[in-house]
Every structure is written in C-alpha cells, then in structure tokens.
C-alpha cells in the first residue's frame, strides 16, 4: 500500500491550509481531482508542463501551470491544497517523491500516454481477480475479452468491492456488472501481471476464455 504521509509531512504544507482552501476542496474538490488526473494521466501538454517517462512531474510546475490555465477565486491549486488532496484521496491515485530536492508527483496508474514506461512491479497474481463494467458492453467483452482501450493496461482488482465501485462509474452503460478473471490460469499460460503502487492489478489484455460474469446488479 502506498504511503505518502512522510513526504507530505516533510513539506509542512498542511499547516498552511486555510479555511478558504477547505471550503474550495469541499465544494470543488471532485472537479479539481478530475482535472488533475486528466493532466497527470493523459495530457500534461494541457498546461504545458514536462513529464518524465515514468509519469513524474514537478509539483511546483504543476501548480503554476494549473493556475495559469484554470485559476478562478474558488478553483485553484497551491501546495497545501495539493497535499490535502493526496492525503485524503480514497483511491490512492497519487504518488509523491523527492528528486534532487524537488517535490515530484504522478498518478499511479490509468495513463494513456503512449511513450510512458511506468515502473510497475511484475508480480504473480492471486487466483481470481475482478473487473467492473456496465451491462451495455458485456456481450462485446465476453466475445473479445478485456482490452486497455484508451489506457496502457487493463485494470483489475483483487476484491469485488473495488470492482463494484468501478462499475458504478459507468452508469451510462447500464446495470453494473462484476466480472471474474482466471488470473492464475492466465499466469500459467504466460500472461504477465503487474501491481501498481496503490495495489491495482494490471495486464495487457484479458482474452475471453479467462473471464466470466460474477454478478449483474440492479
């Protein structure tokens, strides 16, 4: 499990979080997080910042670029706000580190940028993994398997609760569907699995013969 607490503490930024920052996070935090993930996963050029081949960007450049592009009185980024977003993110989407004295940040997975070479750990998966989706695409998945689509990898979870959360994001695709994946069988047949820092399982694709419906909800 990723732990950013030491790096956050070293910045001392949370001591400077203001009441205005807290109000802004309460009312705009979800939108702010969505915008950050779009930048860090898909389009750093949106705010003209540089990203290395493992997805890391300078937190200072991110803050400056974000505010130049999107600043409004109740929609902005500063270091206290950014550190509070990282600290409270229930999905643990963000990673932090120091590099040559500079604070760096990235999203841990979910990237679509083709030239990235993420440093995921190759791991042996559990016997069964799960994936959440919507009923409208179920027939296609059962025929063609799971593909990364706009992402670099297919995302899988070790528990049904996480898969259920993912399925709930696809309300426009009908009733939530939880799929189970024969990960052990895939691994025996030579398919490679990776584990991200926030414990999301990743693989290049899941052929249809290794998956089936666990449940359809709603």
């Amino acid at each position: 499990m990723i732990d950013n607490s030491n790096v956050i503490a070293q910045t001392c930024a949370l001591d400077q979080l203001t009441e205005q920052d807290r109000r802004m996070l309460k009312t705009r935090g979800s939108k702010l997080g969505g915008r950050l993930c779009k930048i860090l996963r898909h389009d750093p050029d949106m705010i003209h910042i540089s990203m290395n081949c493992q997805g890391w960007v300078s937190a200072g450049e991110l803050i400056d670029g974000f505010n130049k592009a999107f600043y409004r009185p109740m929609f902005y980024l500063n270091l206290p706000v950014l550190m509070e977003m990282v600290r409270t993110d229930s999905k643990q989407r963000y990673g932090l580190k120091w590099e040559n004295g500079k604070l760096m940040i990235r999203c841990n997975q979910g990237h679509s940028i083709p030239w990235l070479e993420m440093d995921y750990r190759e791991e042996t998966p559990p016997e069964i993994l799960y994936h959440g989706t919507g009923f409208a695409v179920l027939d296609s998945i059962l025929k063609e398997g799971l593909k990364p689509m706009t992402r670099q990898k297919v995302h899988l979870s070790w528990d049904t609760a996480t898969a259920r959360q993912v399925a709930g994001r696809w309300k426009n695709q009908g009733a939530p569907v939880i799929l189970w994946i024969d990960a052990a069988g895939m691994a025996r047949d030579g398919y490679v699995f990776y584990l991200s820092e926030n414990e999301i399982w990743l693989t290049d694709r899941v052929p249809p013969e290794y998956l089936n419906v666990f449940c359809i909800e709603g």
Side-chain angles (χ1 to χ4, degrees), residues 123-188:
E123 296 278 358
T124 301
E127 289 193 8
I128 300 295
L129 289 170
Y130 300 93
H131 180 83
T133 189
F135 187 78
V137 296
L138 180 58
D139 284 347
S140 175
I141 290 173
L142 293 178
K143 289 177 184 177
E144 301 178 14
L146 289 170
K147 302 176 182 179
M149 307 307 285
T150 60
R151 294 178 169 182
Q152 289 190 323
K153 306 285 184 187
V154 173
H155 290 204
L156 306 170
S157 59
W158 63 269
D159 65 322
T160 58
T162 301
R164 189 169 287 109
Q165 289 179 350
V166 172
R169 299 176 203 160
W170 303 101
K171 295 179 181 178
N172 62 331
Q173 293 185 350
V177 176
I178 310 300
L179 303 171
W180 67 262
I181 290 88
D182 178 11
M186 286 183 63
R188 284 194 299 271

Side-chain angles (χ1 to χ4, degrees), residues 12-117:
C12 300
L14 296 184
D15 295 336
Q16 300 160 33
L17 194 70
T18 68
E19 284 305 311
Q20 177 175 305
D21 294 338
R22 295 181 191 279
R23 288 196 301 272
M24 192 267 293
L25 284 167
K26 185 175 181 179
T27 59
R28 304 285 196 276
S30 179
K31 183 176 181 180
L32 188 62
R35 191 71 55 87
L36 281 179
C37 282
K38 184 172 184 179
I39 293 165
L40 294 174
R41 286 173 167 170
H42 310 299
D43 194 6
D45 290 339
M46 177 188 294
I47 59 171
H48 309 292
I49 59 172
S50 59
M51 175 180 286
N52 72 16
C53 65
Q54 294 179 346
W56 293 100
V57 305
S58 159
E61 290 182 14
L62 175 65
I63 291 167
D64 290 344
F66 186 95
N67 288 329
K68 286 178 182 177
F70 305 118
Y71 179 85
R72 298 195 299 275
M74 286 299 286
F75 192 74
Y76 58 85
L77 203 58
N78 58 33
L79 189 58
V81 166
L82 184 59
M83 292 301 96
E84 180 69 355
M85 291 182 67
V86 173
R87 184 187 73 83
T88 59
D89 186 65
S90 62
K91 302 170 188 172
Q92 296 189 312
R93 290 174 292 187
Y94 306 104
L96 296 172
K97 71 172 183 176
W98 296 102
E99 186 173 278
N100 299 322
K102 183 183 293 187
L103 180 63
M104 308 293 287
I105 185 170
R106 72 174 179 181
C107 276
N108 289 314
Q109 86 285 320
H111 303 82
S112 64
I113 302 167
W115 47 262
L116 288 184
E117 299 176 1

Side-chain angles (χ1 to χ4, degrees), residues 121-127 129 183-184 187-188 191 193-195 201:
R121 304 193 313 271
E122 185 174 331
E123 296 278 358
T124 301
E127 289 193 8
L129 289 170
R188 284 194 299 271
Y191 291 89
F193 287 81
Y194 306 89
L195 190 61
W201 286 93

